[in-house]
Structure formats: C-alpha cells, structure tokens
Amino acid sequence: MPMTAAPKAEWWQAFGFSDPQPGATTGRESLAYQGTPYANLSPVDGEPLPAVLHSGVAIYDQVVEKAQQAFLEWRAVPPPRRAEVIRVFGEKLRRRKADLARLISYEIGKIYQEALGEVQEVIDMCDFGVGLSRQLYGLTIASERPNHRMYEQWHPLGVVGIITAFNFPVAVWAWNAVIAAVCGDPTVWKPSEKAPLSALAIFSILREAIEETGVPEGVFNLVVGNAEIGQHMACDARLPLISATGSVRMGRSVAQQVAKRLGRSLLELGGNNAVIVTPHANLDLALRAVTFAALGTSGQRCTTLRRLILHEEIYDAFLGRLIRIYEQASQRIGDPLHPDTLIGPLIDKNAAAAMQEALAEVQKEGGKVLFGGEVLEGPAYRSGCYVRPAIVTAENHWPVVQRETFAPILYVLKYRTLEEAIALQNGVPQGLSSSIFTANLREAELFLSARGSDCGIANVNIGPSGAEIGGAFGGEKETGGGREAGSDAWKAYMRRQTVTINYGTDLPLAQGIRFEV
C-alpha cells in the first residue's frame, strides 16, 4: 500500500511545537530540562519525529511542588465548578479531533480511524466527568444508637501520579485525569517515552481550556522522561495514588515501591485474552469479532485477542474461514494514514523482533504457523515495523502462550466440553478480558457465573476488545486488579470518611458498652 507524503511542518505547528519541545508543563508554564534532546522515529516511515527535551528529577520535583500547592486550592472548589474546565476541554477536542488523531497515527502507527476513536474516547470521558461532578454520592447508614446519625462522605485524595503506555497515548490519561480533576485531585502524568508528542499535543489543547476557565496552575501536569521518572513517582510519598498502565513487569515494580510507603496503586497491566466459540454460535458474528479483536491496533491492545478456543465440531470450518479473512486483511497492511489501511505498523523494530522470537519459540514447542508472521519488506515498509499477522496452533500450557506478546499472534486451541474451554480461558496468569460466542442461554450463563470467566471483563457475543467508558475497565490476577473510567471507579481517587453526629444529650456507646465515671 502506498505511503503518504512526509508530514508537513504545519502538523506540528498546529500544536505550537518548538524545536526541541520542552518536556514538562504545569498547565500554563512549560519547563525544560537542559539535557540532550531526544527524538523517536515514526514507525510509519522511519523518519525522525520532532525532538523533545526529557525532564530530569529536578524538574519533576518542581512540578510536584506546584501540584501540591494547587491541591490546597483545588480541593475547596465545588465539584461542578471543577468540571467546567473538563467541559470546555471536551468542546475544544471536538474541534481538533482530526488534527490530534493524525498526529497519534503518525507517532505510534495506529490506523487513522482507530486514532479518531481514541480521541472520541477522551471526549466521551469529558462528558462523563461533567455528569459525575454532580454524583459523588455518599451513603446514609442506620445507627444503633438513639439520636445519632451516620453517613459516609468522600474527600479529594491528593496529587495523583499517572503512568501510561504508548498504545493508547491519550485515552488512558483521560480515564484518570478527568475523573481525578472532578474529584479534586491534581495530576502528574508521565506518558510513554514512545509517545511524547501525542501527550504534548493534547496538553496544548488542555492549556487553552485551563486559561479560559481560570484553573490554578499545577492542577494538570505533564513530565516527559524515561523510566527513572516513573521509578521516582512510585517512591514519592507526595503522590498518594499511582495509576500505572503497562507490562506486568513494570506493574510489579510500581506496586512494590508504592506498597513500601503504604500508598495506593491502581494497576492496568497485561492481558492474555481469549474467545470461546461454541457450536451454538453465530459464526458470521464470531468471525467479525475475532478479526477486529485480533488485528485491531496491530495486536497492540491490552484487550487484544491472543487465544481462540474453538469447539472441535467447528474447528476446521471456522479456522478455514478465518485464514481467508486474514489473507484479505493482509492486502491492506500499510500506511496507517491511508484510508484503505486496516493494519498499520508495530511501534518499533524491537516489537517486530519480539514477535519473531515468540513465533520461533511456539514452533519449537510443536506449534504450526498456519498463516503469516513474517516481517514485511520493500519501499512501502521501509521502517521495518510492518508484519503480517499470524495464526498459530498451540497448547495453552506452553510458556510462550502463557505470556503476552504485544503483536498480532493468534494462538488457536481446541476443546470438547464447555468446562474444558473455561478452564483453558482461565488457565493463564492474566485476567483482563474474555468472551464467549453462543446462542445457548445455559452456556452464556455458565460463562458469566462464579464458575466461569475469572476476568475483570466478560462478554457474550461481542469480542474482548473495545470496552465502553461507562463501565469500570480493568482485570484480575496479574492484570493488577485496577478499575478505571466509568461506574464507581471514581472512588479510587478519593478518601472515604465515616461521620457520626450525636444530636442528643446522652452519650450511649456502641455494642452496648457501659463506662460510667
């Protein structure tokens, strides 16, 4: 597929980028660590992206100090008033949606339609946050003591640290920052080193909303840096909550450091998601869902379909149709900004190499590559980041299948009974997203019961990828147990306070205790 022309200077000028671009901001003020500018290569064509000055620990400390000062003021602002900046921000994003999506697509290789969807997710979070600002509800509790009233209320927690991954360079930040702001918490965001421009671009739009609404400097903060900044955040007692999205390895390190200081961690880590297809399934529906779940974002979603569990009765027919679909989809691999592209590049050459290593390992175990897997060559793929998606036969217990490879590899497994299929689904360390395709009510209900999927997300007749923001997003086991976005996920960003009021003249004690002086 042909490549688009090299990006023009106005792509970057639209967001006010300088060269090099300062790598830290406290909302109104940009800060720059006087170090060596760092520039990534676009996975689309291998060309250098605008350079960014990485922030060091000294700049990070300045940012956190400003965030702490902002908290003293921001926590006293009524929640509906806090949400005004979120409302204005969402309106501005609607006008800049295409510009931001184009930049995201070129920086990380996500196809343009998916990048538009990611920006729309941020807009949806803004709408959700505005509504949430009037719904931070507590509980009224019945007291056992006469003339006493008990209730719960929620207060802002403090400065929240946010660490995000490259594959959703703005949406995951919004899950956290929008809710935290409404709850009264300033945020300090460390984006992935692989996607700093997307972060800086959305912050330039946010800065306009901040200035228009008079939000104190330091409520929203951005620090671009390497892993040292992330480690510093995890150890920083000034950040009572760290929300971290990334690999299981990274999450373990963050969790250990935060636990040492008795802080809170909200972790969204790896996935190893499965789809079960039963003989009672609508196979056309299942095929469409499997295709997007396995190929979307070139297999670089935490909710990407990694394992396809097929009943033996439909195994051969379903697999044959799926391979034909992969053959068609592979004709549309290329420049993610081209409107006909379905599959863009991986984030970098290291990701392509990791895919090759995983395929070599699974074949050594005895698996067979039924389709694809190779790194593509030629002028249209000169970045070295384009791969053909792979379909591979495998066994669930193999080490390569037990871990997450962030690439479009689909392992195919066979089952006889639904109980066996559920055991395969649950038989990995991760527990993020899961799906079953069936028109049989009993099968669906078993999958959703306590004996069914052990994942944080369980779907029926819909794939594991593409969650709505209205529900709490997150998973169990090595996925970390965190919940973000909708439902009552806002409670993670606040502190609960139980209140008892005695409006009588006596002092009865709980549990009937008598203590007379």
Side-chain angles (χ1 to χ4, degrees):
M1 186 164 292
M3 305 290 294
T4 57
K8 301 181 183 299
E10 54 261 32
W11 283 29
W12 320 118
Q13 293 171 357
F15 296 102
F17 286 164
S18 57
D19 188 19
Q21 176 69 22
T25 175
T26 58
R28 292 196 179 95
E29 179 184 354
S30 292
L31 305 171
Y33 176 66
Q34 297 303 313
T36 303
Y38 184 82
N40 291 319
L41 302 179
S42 169
V44 176
D45 55 16
E47 294 297 318
L49 294 162
V52 177
L53 291 173
H54 277 206
S55 303
V57 172
I59 291 294
Y60 164 81
D61 284 334
Q62 290 182 38
V63 169
V64 175
E65 287 173 9
K66 292 204 172 190
Q68 284 187 297
Q69 290 300 312
F71 175 61
L72 302 179
E73 182 178 351
W74 191 240
R75 65 184 177 181
V77 176
R81 178 67 185 89
R82 295 176 198 145
E84 180 64 11
V85 65
I86 301 301
R87 183 188 65 79
V88 174
F89 177 46
E91 291 175 353
K92 292 183 177 297
L93 276 174
R94 283 176 167 87
R95 295 192 290 269
R96 303 293 300 280
K97 181 177 176 179
D99 289 342
L100 183 56
R102 181 174 56 185
L103 188 151
I104 290 170
S105 184
Y106 186 67
E107 182 175 38
I108 70 165
K110 177 180 293 189
I111 66 171
Y112 179 65
Q113 281 299 318
E114 286 196 65
L116 285 171
E118 177 169 0
V119 180
Q120 184 60 48
E121 189 165 335
V122 180
I123 294 169
D124 293 344
M125 279 303 306
C126 290
D127 291 345
F128 181 86
V130 172
L132 178 67
S133 69
R134 297 181 184 273
Q135 300 181 69
L136 301 176
Y137 299 137
L139 292 174
T140 298
I141 304 167
S143 175
E144 68 182 60
R145 291 170 284 187
N147 301 322
H148 281 60
R149 181 164 67 92
M150 291 179 63
Y151 66 91
E152 289 181 350
Q153 61 183 2
W154 296 84
H155 292 305
L157 181 63
V159 182
V160 174
I162 305 171
I163 301 171
T164 59
F166 76 86
N167 57 332
F168 282 87
V170 296
V172 176
W173 163 75
W175 291 356
N176 289 274
V178 166
I179 304 302
V182 168
C183 290
D185 303 328
T187 52
V188 177
W189 177 25
K190 180 205 168 299
S192 168
E193 304 99 297
K194 297 179 181 180
L197 298 179
S198 297
L200 289 163
I202 199 168
F203 240 76
S204 73
I205 301 171
L206 176 62
R207 184 181 291 116
E208 297 174 9
I210 289 170
E211 292 173 350
E212 286 186 20
T213 54
V215 171
E217 183 179 356
V219 171
F220 299 96
N221 305 276
L222 170 66
V223 180
V224 175
N226 56 25
E228 180 185 12
I229 296 297
Q231 294 167 0
H232 204 68
M233 292 172 71
C235 298
D236 193 342
R238 296 173 295 178
L239 307 179
L241 171 65
I242 298 292
S243 175
T245 302
S247 68
V248 173
R249 176 185 172 189
M250 179 275 289
R252 281 201 180 100
S253 175
V254 169
Q256 290 169 5
Q257 295 301 323
V258 174
K260 283 181 182 179
R261 59 179 176 86
L262 299 181
R264 302 186 194 179
S265 57
L266 195 167
L267 303 175
E268 299 287 358
L269 309 177
N272 197 346
N273 315 292
V275 164
I276 298 171
V277 185
T278 83
H280 302 103
N282 178 327
L283 298 187
D284 291 335
L285 184 69
L287 279 163
R288 291 199 299 272
V290 164
T291 300
F292 173 72
L295 301 183
T297 323
S298 302
Q300 297 174 116
R301 290 184 174 214
C302 55
T303 54
T304 290
L305 174 58
R306 308 285 177 201
R307 297 172 298 134
L308 177 60
I309 305 173
L310 299 173
H311 190 274
E312 60 184 8
E313 289 183 10
I314 62 170
Y315 183 90
D316 291 333
F318 191 96
L319 199 48
R321 292 180 65 184
L322 183 63
I323 290 172
R324 289 194 291 274
I325 291 173
Y326 266 56
E327 289 171 346
Q328 295 169 6
S330 293
Q331 302 303 312
R332 299 170 68 181
I333 300 172
D335 175 9
L337 287 159
H338 193 286
D340 290 333
T341 297
L342 281 181
I343 305 170
L346 297 179
I347 184 64
D348 53 29
K349 291 182 178 179
N350 290 335
M355 179 177 177
Q356 299 308 300
E357 292 170 4
L359 290 171
E361 183 176 345
V362 75
Q363 289 178 89
K364 186 176 180 181
E365 291 277 8
K368 181 179 179 181
V369 177
L370 302 178
F371 180 85
E374 65 270 27
V375 178
L376 299 179
E377 299 178 349
Y381 310 115
R382 60 181 179 270
S383 68
C385 302
Y386 293 85
V387 298
R388 199 179 307 279
I391 300 175
V392 187
T393 62
E395 296 292 337
N396 203 58
H397 65 274
W398 292 347
V400 65
V401 179
Q402 288 284 304
R403 67 176 185 266
E404 179 186 46
T405 299
F406 228 50
I409 302 175
L410 181 61
Y411 300 115
V412 185
L413 314 172
K414 185 185 296 186
Y415 80 94
R416 289 186 177 181
T417 68
L418 184 56
E419 289 78 8
E420 178 189 356
I422 291 173
L424 290 170
Q425 142 67 40
N426 294 343
V428 293
Q430 309 84 359
L432 179 52
S433 191
S434 58
S435 299
I436 188 171
F437 281 82
T438 180
N440 184 297
L441 179 63
R442 289 179 177 176
E443 289 182 335
E445 290 295 338
L446 177 59
F447 180 77
L448 298 174
S449 74
R451 294 179 291 146
S453 170
D454 64 1
C455 294
I457 299 170
N459 297 329
V460 177
N461 295 328
I462 187 173
S465 188
E468 296 183 34
I469 61 100
F473 180 90
E476 302 300 324
K477 301 190 295 188
E478 286 191 357
T479 301
R483 293 296 186 275
E484 293 173 322
S487 185
D488 64 350
W490 60 269
K491 293 179 179 179
Y493 305 88
M494 304 195 81
R495 59 181 177 89
R496 186 196 311 251
Q497 187 174 75
T498 302
V499 178
T500 305
I501 299 173
N502 178 3
Y503 56 89
T505 58
D506 296 326
L507 193 64
L509 301 178
Q511 291 84 44
I513 295 174
R514 298 177 62 86
F515 188 80
E516 303 292 346
V517 179

